[in-house]
């Protein structure tokens, strides 16, 4: 008995030798030789019939217990090639490993790269202090932490002095802080008491960090947010403690840069209290990373930090416009920060336009329009660099993609996903990655639909035939759900072979990495994980891992960002840096950084797939175009991949706009 198999375009068909025992993948693999042709001829020499071009196959023999899709053959070649290409020490992971591959030990990463050598140096240097609730990587929840670290490092490389002031959360792992020392002990006021407070200095990612540690229960817990203390009151304390430390130590920075509602009270405290004491030099910049979080506060709570809360309960100061006429009216720390800061920045030009047109803070922003600007975020090109990233199993750059193929195969192996072939035909399986907080802003219904959609494209019916075969050729068209069988079924005494032919269509794979702060949403995604994680195409990982996020971006062919609104977004920029084409909804910073490949008005900018609606059909339209391009236009895809990897979304490019803003505000003594 001889079987012929139609393979992808980079392979020819060869006869499978007769065997007395089971057919093995290695015995089949030895029969293949490479050609560059789309036409395949049946193996059986009694029939010279030419077959239609074919771009996929899948053969399964129950009787021999062998499953040999093109993906596995390509995977074997890839693993063999890694040995010959300098990756011989690579240990391939398995989902059965006792320690998951993203929790292995990694080398120490020196993020003080050569970027600092090439960065533009400023002659008129500033002292900048950031007061923030987050900082990557030691206290990171979302993009805020990345922005603080990236902007601080970019300013340092330009020659400026930068300090970051951060609560000393109990959950911070001290071994990740270099040269940590106690620099001062002082008292800071809160709710009628002066709270003994320690200030430590350490170094994180090349940045000087001052950690504020009160002696009370504030900032205790196993995570940055969600401790057993009142978070709003803790950040009111922190805002004053930062200024109190500057006063007792005589520190007079040029700029105090505050972020989000958590430090929104600091500008009020500075101008109505500390500026009348000894802090005269600093000017205040507020960056709003997300208008959704207002810092809703009662007058009594604000009074606990030493201010008279009733003074700020006016429309032109800090009253929450949503509560006007209610009893009681509330305050908004974010609104107060807008009013009292010297300059207000949001994180993309498009988000600036959106916030001036809608949202309850629009009237406040319009009244302060002369000091409100939009500066696009960047990414830290040293921390996010596939050529040096210590978390990756193989390094790569825009000129050499081989390492990216290895990263994809590594992640597929480690997560138990079906392995992809290495040919350029339609056996190519795109991997979609979504790294996000699972909150409504991020388009939860579209993320859920994307999971279903990708699973639909992966799943398909199967056809089982019990045949007496002389030879059988199986072809699967690259058109969805079209199966072609060519067989000469001549009975052979005593020879029954059960062939299970699974239709392969334009499917893909998807990995979601993130967690939901809302218990209801978390449970919904847990149900999805239970439904899909046992298959070979979908993985829903309800956690956050910095190491795994790097690996996923490196493995991804596409990065999905279907946000309802997105002030800036870093995922699309990180994805491009790591060779993943973005599929995004047109909003906020996504509209400023991703331009549709199929809209030819600005071909030089085209770098992704964009949709505008919030419905499932709009997402399908973008995903289907992306999948089709990946599978049917591999050369164009590779060109786009190289192009997006060369896009400069670094902080070195955008930090200059912040420096210019700082210089317009500074007071020279």
């Amino acid at each position: 008995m001889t079987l012929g198999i139609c393979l992808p375009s980079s392979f020819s068909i060869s006869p499978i030798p007769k065997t007395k025992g089971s057919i093995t993948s290695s015995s089949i693999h030895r029969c293949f030789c490479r050609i560059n042709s789309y036409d395949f001829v049946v193996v059986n020499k009694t029939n010279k019939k030419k077959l239609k071009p074919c771009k996929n196959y899948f053969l399964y023999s129950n009787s021999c217990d062998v499953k040999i899709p093109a993906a596995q053959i390509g995977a074997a070649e890839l693993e063999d090639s890694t040995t010959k290409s300098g990756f011989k020490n690579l240990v391939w992971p398995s989902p059965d490993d006792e320690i998951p591959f993203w929790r292995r030990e990694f080398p120490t990463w020196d993020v003080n790269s050569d970027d600092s050598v090439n960065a533009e140096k400023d002659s008129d240097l500033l002292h900048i202090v950031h007061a923030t609730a987050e900082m990557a990587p030691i206290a990171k929840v979302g993009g805020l932490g990345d922005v603080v670290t990236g902007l601080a490092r970019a300013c340092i490389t330009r020659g400026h002095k930068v300090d970051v002031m951060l609560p000393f959360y109990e959950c911070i792992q001290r071994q990740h802080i270099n040269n940590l020392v106690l620099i001062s002990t002082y008292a800071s006021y809160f709710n009628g008491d002066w709270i003994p407070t320690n200030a430590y200095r350490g170094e994180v990612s090349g940045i000087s960090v001052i950690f504020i540690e009160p002696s009370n229960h504030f900032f205790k817990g196993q995570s940055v947010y969600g401790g057993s203390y009142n978070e709003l009151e803790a950040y009111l304390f922190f805002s004053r403690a930062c200024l109190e430390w500057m006063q007792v130590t005589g520190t007079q920075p040029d700029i105090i840069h505050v972020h989000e509602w958590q430090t929104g009270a600091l500008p009020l405290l500075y101008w109505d209290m500390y500026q009348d004491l000894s802090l005269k030099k600093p000017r205040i910049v507020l960056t709003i990373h997300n208008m959704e979080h207002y810092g809703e506060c009662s007058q009594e709570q604000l009074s606990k930090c030493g201010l008279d809360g009733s003074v700020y309960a006016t429309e032109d100061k800090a009253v929450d416009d949503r509560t006007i006429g209610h009893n009681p009216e509330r305050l908004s720390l974010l609104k107060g920060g807008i009013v009292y800061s010297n300059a207000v920045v949001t994180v993309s030009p498009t988000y600036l336009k959106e916030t001036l047109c809608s949202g309850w803070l629009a009237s406040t922003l319009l009244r302060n329009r002369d000091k409100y600007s939009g500066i696009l975020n960047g990414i830290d090109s040293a921390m996010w660099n596939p050529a040096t990233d210590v978390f990756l199993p193989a390094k790569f750059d825009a000129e050499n993609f081989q390492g990216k193929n290895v990263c994809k195969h590594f992640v597929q192996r480690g997560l138990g996903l079906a392995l992809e072939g290495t040919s350029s035909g339609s056996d190519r399986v795109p991997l979609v990655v979504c790294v996000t907080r699972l909150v409504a802003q991020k388009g939860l219904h579209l993320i859920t639909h994307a999971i279903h959609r990708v699973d639909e494209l992966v799943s398909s019916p199967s056809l089982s035939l019990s045949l007496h075969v002389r030879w059988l050729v199986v072809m699967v068209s690259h058109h969805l759900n079209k199966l072609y069988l060519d067989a000469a079924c001549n009975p052979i005494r005593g020879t029954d072979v059960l062939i299970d032919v699974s239709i392969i269509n334009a499917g893909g794979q998807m990995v979601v990495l993130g967690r939901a702060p809302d218990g209801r949403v978390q449970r919904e995604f847990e149900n999805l994980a239970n439904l899909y994680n046992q298959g070979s195409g979908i993985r829903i990982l309800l956690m956050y891992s910095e190491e795994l996020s790097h690996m996923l971006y490196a493995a991804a062919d596409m990065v999905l960002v279907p946000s309802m609104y997105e002030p800036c977004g870093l995922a699309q920029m990180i994805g491009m840096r790591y060779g993943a084409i973005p599929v995004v909804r047109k909003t906020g910073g996504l509209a400023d950084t991703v331009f549709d490949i199929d809209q030819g008005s600005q071909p030089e900018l085209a770098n992704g797939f964009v949709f505008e609606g919030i419905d499932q059909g709009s997402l399908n339209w973008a995903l289907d175009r992306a999948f089709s391009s990946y599978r049917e236009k591999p050369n164009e895809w590779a060109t786009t991949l190289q192009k997006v990897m060369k896009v400069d979304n670094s902080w070195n490019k955008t930090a200059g706009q912040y420096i210019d803003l700082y210089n317009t505000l500074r007071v020279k003594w």
Side-chain angles (χ1 to χ4, degrees), residues 318-357:
V319 73
D320 187 331
D321 293 359
R322 299 169 302 169
T323 69
I324 292 176
H326 293 192
N327 185 16
E329 293 182 343
R330 306 278 289 176
L331 306 179
S332 165
L333 296 182
L334 185 60
K335 179 180 176 179
I338 292 170
V339 172
Y340 275 77
S341 294
N342 298 98
V344 181
V345 180
T346 197
V347 290
S348 71
T350 296
Y351 191 57
L352 178 142
K353 296 174 185 176
E354 293 172 351
T355 56
L356 287 171
C357 296

